[in-house]
Amino acid sequence: MPPGDGTSGGGPPGEVPPGEEVPIASNDDVVRVRQLVRAAAAAAGLSLVDQTKIVTAASELARNTYAHGGGGTMRVEQAGGRGRRGVRIVFTDEGPGIADVERALGEGWTSGAGLGLGLSGARRLSDEFDLRSEPGKGTTVTVAKWSR
């Protein structure tokens, strides 16, 4: 089946089974990431404001995965524990990596023509943020948002 047709997991169109990796190899995939994250955030009981925050963070990270990492994958899953519910999203690429992570997380830093709000903005919009990168080996960014 073609990617993105929603039939791979047997669920409704646009849904992906929890924990399944979704490829990010085009701008269309970035749009699909936003749709999948919004659905997962709503299912986790996040408020509309928190849904918007995590969807915005995911959009920035998906765009970075595609534009700077040469493509990669996204995995979204329901998360919980200690009486709370939310979503956790993991973005992975095997691109050039980030030589100076602290600098890349700084406000206004950009590696290209962007505004420099991608990583720092995603961190600010998430309740949890973890970035692991090694030059020449790629980058993994994990974010989470919890219901209030």
Side-chain angles (χ1 to χ4, degrees):
M1 297 281 164
D5 71 355
T7 60
S8 64
E15 287 190 16
V16 172
E20 184 174 312
E21 290 187 345
V22 175
I24 302 172
S26 70
N27 283 320
D28 288 342
D29 293 334
V30 173
V31 172
R32 184 168 181 236
V33 163
R34 285 195 297 259
Q35 294 167 341
L36 294 170
V37 170
R38 180 160 311 276
L46 271 63
S47 69
L48 188 55
V49 169
D50 284 340
Q51 288 178 42
T52 301
K53 287 179 179 180
I54 198 63
V55 167
T56 302
S59 180
E60 292 293 327
L61 295 171
R63 186 156 310 284
N64 282 356
T65 299
Y66 172 57
H68 301 295
T73 61
M74 182 272 309
R75 185 178 73 246
V76 62
E77 55 197 31
Q78 299 293 313
R82 295 187 295 244
R84 58 184 185 172
R85 290 180 39 171
V87 292
R88 179 173 292 111
I89 313 156
V90 181
F91 295 87
T92 304
D93 69 61
E94 295 179 1
I98 302 170
D100 187 344
V101 171
E102 289 305 313
R103 183 172 171 214
L105 287 170
E107 292 290 331
W109 184 85
T110 181
S111 64
L115 298 174
L117 300 175
L119 290 175
S120 62
R123 180 170 60 174
R124 194 172 44 254
L125 293 167
S126 304
D127 293 331
E128 293 179 15
F129 181 94
D130 181 64
L131 185 151
R132 298 178 191 270
S133 187
E134 188 173 340
K137 295 191 177 182
T139 302
T140 299
V141 181
T142 305
V143 294
K145 192 72 174 170
W146 300 103
S147 62
R148 312 245 179 259

